[in-house]
């Protein structure tokens, strides 16, 4: 009996699996979110700020009219808080506590008590969504629907190496929730390049249910714009052919993800500015000019920046302090949407390669400095250490635009007849001083008038090279 049942189940799976698999696709998505807060109190105002969204997804089509979608994505939400308090540099209006256990004292040395303050202006989550959407048929189609998500907080200072600071600060009853959940309303426009590949742009609104801002009973939500590429590996190659077009043969869609290694240059103290590692993701369009030449442009979301580790107080500019009481360890994060304009020289062969060069233009989305400030106060009978974790918004100190020149080398590997995978290396040199001029800032400048910072970066990218139309 068991043998017959096993044979029956195997037969059913053999019949059902090809049909099921042909409706299943996978892909990558990347985009931008604008944070918002669902709040009950209104004496404090939080302004929407942009942040990155990146992830992978799986989608299953239920016939011609419905779609089930899930996956994993990582989203960071930034917040800029406005209240009726006046702004003072190094003033953090969140609550604080004083930790001074008697066991730290001895008869000869006064051991350092520790003071911790909390000023959180960003939250990062690993989200798992589940969506059900209505879908229209056709090569160009639309999807509309919604669902729910479950999220895990990934902030290092709340789950990682600095968590003990906030254990003392918040005590268990006020600690931010480690998990969140909420609702998603989503719509998208999809274009099927062929039966294997599709591209889409999606807009969605999220509303969280857990409170992360106790002072206003605030819950985290967002408005998001996401681009993505989907691929169905189960479709037979003989079914992937589509009607060719003259224009389509000259256009390629190139999504990518990778790492960005920033090496910012300062005109006065360049050696004091440390390299930093960020991410780069985006999508490009490449237009063939024939005779081994092409033009490309697109939209990339890039994180640049630098690090500081010195005796001083300024969290984003190197300014040494003579008495040596303060130490700063900070990471400055500069998020840009970059629009490249590249000319490409193509080299044909079994493995294709190309050299690209040209200018780029960038729009600043976020400017943050986060890290730890340590103050050491020495007394006749001992010393006292104060540690503050800070996360400061720096928009007023950096220009909203940047521009420069980029050169790169790309290797395309044609593993499949529907497109190539590639790896590329790009070097970018900034040509603009990204610090604001004294006249452009509403506050007194903290740096010298002749001080300049330029963005230099080296990126390693991986991605896909997909022709819009195939023979």
């Amino acid at each position: 009996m068991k043998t017959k049942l096993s044979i029956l189940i195997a037969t059913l799976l053999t019949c059902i699996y090809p049909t099921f698999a042909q409706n299943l696709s996978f892909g990558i998505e990347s985009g931008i979110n604008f944070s918002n807060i669902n709040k009950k109190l209104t004496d404090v105002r939080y302004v929407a700020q942009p942040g990155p969204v990146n992830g992978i997804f799986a989608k299953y089509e239920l016939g011609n009219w419905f779609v089930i979608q899930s996956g994993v994505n990582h989203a960071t939400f930034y917040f800029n808080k406005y209240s009726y308090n006046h702004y003072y540099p190094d003033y953090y209006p969140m609550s604080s506590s004083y930790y001074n256990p008697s066991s730290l004292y001895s008869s000869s040395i006064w051991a350092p008590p520790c003071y911790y303050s909390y000023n959180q202006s960003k939250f990062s989550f690993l989200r798992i969504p589940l969506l059900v959407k209505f879908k229209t048929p056709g090569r160009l189609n639309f999807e509309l629907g919604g669902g729910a998500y479950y999220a895990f907080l990934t902030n290092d200072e709340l789950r990682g190496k600095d968590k003990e600071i906030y254990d003392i600060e918040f005590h268990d009853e006020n600690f931010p929730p480690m998990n969140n959940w909420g609702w998603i309303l989503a719509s998208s426009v999809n274009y099927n390049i062929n039966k294997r590949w599709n591209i889409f742009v999606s807009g969605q609104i999220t509303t969280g249910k857990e409170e992360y801002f106790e002072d206003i009973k605030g819950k985290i939500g967002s408005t998001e714009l996401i681009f993505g590429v989907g691929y169905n590996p189960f479709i037979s190659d003989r079914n992937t052919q589509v009607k060719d077009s003259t224009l389509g043969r000259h256009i390629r869609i190139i999504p990518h993800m990778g790492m960005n290694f920033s090496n910012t240059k300062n005109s006065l103290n360049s050696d004091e500015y440390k390299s930093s590692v960020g991410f780069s993701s985006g999508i490009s369009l490449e237009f063939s000019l024939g005779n081994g030449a092409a033009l490309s442009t697109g939209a990339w979301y890039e994180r640049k920046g630098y690090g500081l580790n010195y005796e001083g107080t300024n969290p984003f500019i190197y300014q040494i302090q003579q008495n040596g009481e303060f130490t700063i360890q900070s990471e400055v994060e500069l998020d840009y949407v970059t629009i490249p304009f590249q000319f490409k020289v193509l080299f044909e062969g079994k493995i294709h390669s190309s050299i690209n060069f040209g200018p780029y233009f960038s729009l600043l989305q976020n400017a943050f400095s986060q890290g730890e400030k340590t103050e050491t106060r020495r007394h006749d009978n001992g010393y006292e250490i104060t540690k503050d974790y800070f996360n400061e918004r720096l928009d007023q100190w950096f220009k909203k635009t940047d521009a420069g020149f980029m050169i790169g080398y790309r290797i395309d590997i044609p593993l499949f007849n529907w497109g190539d995978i590639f790896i590329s290396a790009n070097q970018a040199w900034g040509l603009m001083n990204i610090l604001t001029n004294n006249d452009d800032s509403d506050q007194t400048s903290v740096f010298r008038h002749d001080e300049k910072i330029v963005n230099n970066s080296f990126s390693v990218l991986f991605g896909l090279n997909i022709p819009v139309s195939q023979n």
Side-chain angles (χ1 to χ4, degrees):
M1 184 65 182
K2 292 184 177 180
T3 303
K4 292 181 179 179
L5 181 61
S6 299
I7 294 174
L8 178 60
I9 293 175
T11 303
L12 290 174
L13 290 176
T14 302
C15 296
I16 294 174
Y17 176 76
T19 303
F20 175 84
Q22 289 185 9
N23 295 328
L24 184 65
S25 61
F26 306 90
I28 58 175
E29 57 186 7
S30 178
I32 187 171
N33 76 76
F34 294 89
S35 61
N36 57 64
I37 296 180
N38 178 16
K39 58 186 179 180
K40 295 183 178 179
L41 304 178
T42 59
D43 57 335
V44 178
R45 182 167 61 97
Y46 287 83
V47 178
Q49 303 295 329
V53 180
N54 296 282
I56 59 176
F57 68 88
K59 182 187 293 187
Y60 179 70
E61 297 185 4
L62 296 171
N64 294 326
W65 298 100
F66 291 95
V67 170
I68 297 177
Q69 180 175 326
S70 186
V72 178
N73 61 61
H74 190 266
T76 299
F77 303 100
Y78 294 92
F79 301 96
N80 197 8
K81 179 181 179 181
Y82 289 88
S83 65
Y84 295 108
N85 296 315
H86 295 287
Y87 174 79
Y88 298 97
D90 301 332
Y91 171 69
Y92 307 106
M94 302 295 284
S95 62
S96 60
S97 62
Y98 194 79
Y99 180 61
N100 189 16
S102 58
S103 60
L104 293 178
Y105 287 91
S106 67
S107 58
S108 59
I109 297 178
W110 179 31
C114 297
Y115 171 91
Y116 298 105
S117 66
Y118 176 78
N119 181 43
Q120 181 61 48
S121 53
K122 77 171 185 179
F123 290 94
S124 297
F125 292 94
L126 191 67
R127 301 184 303 187
I128 303 175
L130 180 60
L131 305 175
V132 178
K133 295 186 286 185
F134 172 79
K135 170 184 174 295
T136 62
R139 187 169 189 177
L140 179 67
N141 57 80
F142 303 88
E143 295 177 1
L144 177 65
Y149 71 87
Y150 192 80
F152 303 89
L153 189 68
T154 62
N155 290 51
D156 184 64
E157 68 274 12
L158 297 176
R159 302 197 80 129
K161 62 183 180 62
D162 294 324
K163 184 177 182 295
E164 67 275 7
I165 295 178
Y166 300 98
D167 282 335
I168 297 173
E169 166 62 29
F170 283 99
H171 311 290
D172 291 338
E173 64 273 13
N174 295 323
F175 207 81
M178 292 293 99
N179 302 301
N180 194 11
W181 70 278
W183 306 106
I184 302 176
L185 178 64
S187 64
S188 63
V189 180
N190 309 275
Y191 177 74
N192 295 317
I193 299 172
N194 53 44
K195 290 188 177 180
R196 281 190 185 273
W197 287 96
N198 69 85
I199 58 175
F200 68 86
V201 56
S202 174
Q204 59 186 36
I205 298 173
T206 71
T207 56
K209 305 307 291 184
E210 297 289 345
E211 291 185 2
Y212 284 84
F213 298 88
E214 184 179 3
D215 56 340
I216 60 171
K217 305 298 182 182
K219 302 174 182 179
I220 295 176
S222 64
T223 302
E224 302 177 1
L225 180 65
I226 297 174
F227 301 89
V229 177
Y231 172 64
N232 188 331
F234 305 108
I235 295 291
S236 174
D237 288 338
R238 64 177 179 270
N239 295 326
T240 62
Q241 305 301 320
V242 296
K243 186 177 180 180
D244 197 11
S245 68
T246 303
L247 178 62
R249 288 197 300 268
H250 297 281
I251 300 177
R252 287 178 174 264
I253 299 171
I254 306 174
H256 78 263
M257 297 181 69
M259 303 300 296
N260 204 49
F261 303 90
S262 298
N263 186 22
T264 302
K265 294 297 183 182
N266 181 278
S267 58
L268 300 181
N269 303 286
S270 186
D271 293 340
E272 300 296 335
Y273 291 77
K274 313 301 181 183
S275 300
S276 67
V277 180
F279 60 85
S280 175
S281 63
I283 190 166
S284 300
L285 290 178
E286 184 176 287
F287 304 89
S288 175
L289 302 177
N291 299 321
L295 293 175
S296 71
T297 186
W300 302 358
Y301 198 95
E302 298 183 297
R303 170 160 292 174
K304 299 181 180 180
Y306 52 88
L308 287 171
N309 188 353
Y310 74 105
E311 292 184 352
T313 59
N314 194 290
F316 74 99
I317 290 289
Y318 176 78
Q319 290 181 330
I320 192 168
Q321 187 168 343
Q322 298 300 326
N323 56 21
E325 290 184 355
F326 293 90
T327 300
I328 282 286
Q329 296 183 28
S330 71
E331 289 290 333
V332 176
E333 300 175 355
L334 304 174
D335 291 348
Y336 290 94
V337 170
T338 296
I339 303 173
F341 301 94
Q342 302 290 293
F343 180 79
K344 290 182 177 288
V345 179
L346 308 173
F347 303 98
E348 299 293 338
K350 184 173 291 187
I351 295 179
H352 307 307
S353 63
S354 62
I355 296 175
N356 60 278
F357 55 90
Y360 67 86
F361 179 76
S362 297
L363 298 171
L364 182 66
Q365 304 299 306
N366 285 302
F368 269 81
S369 176
Q370 64 177 1
E372 188 175 87
K373 179 188 294 184
T374 303
E375 179 184 3
T376 303
R377 297 179 181 177
R378 301 189 181 278
H379 307 277
D380 293 339
N381 58 343
Y383 62 94
E384 178 183 6
I385 294 178
T386 300
K387 290 185 178 181
D388 290 327
Y389 179 86
F390 60 87
N391 195 331
E392 296 187 23
R393 191 162 186 85
L394 305 174
D395 293 64
Q396 69 271 30
W397 305 120
F398 291 93
K399 292 179 179 178
K400 303 302 181 185
T401 59
D402 188 22
F405 185 83
M406 183 188 303
I407 186 170
Y409 180 72
R410 192 178 82 197
I411 297 177
D412 294 78
I413 305 173
L415 294 182
F416 310 100
N417 61 359
W418 40 260
D420 308 337
I421 63 172
F422 73 82
I423 179 174
S424 69
N426 298 282
Q427 176 66 47
W429 294 275
L431 301 178
M432 293 177 56
N433 175 23
I434 61 176
L435 294 176
T436 55
N437 298 324
N438 290 345
D439 296 337
D440 297 336
S441 178
D442 295 334
Q443 304 182 36
T444 303
S445 179
V446 299
F447 44 84
R448 287 172 44 176
H449 182 72
D450 59 343
E451 190 165 2
K452 297 180 180 180
I453 290 181
V454 295
N455 277 322
N456 292 341
S457 64
F458 176 80
S459 58
V460 178
L461 308 176
F462 303 87
L464 300 171
N465 187 344
I466 308 168
V468 171
S469 184
Q470 301 176 353
N471 292 319

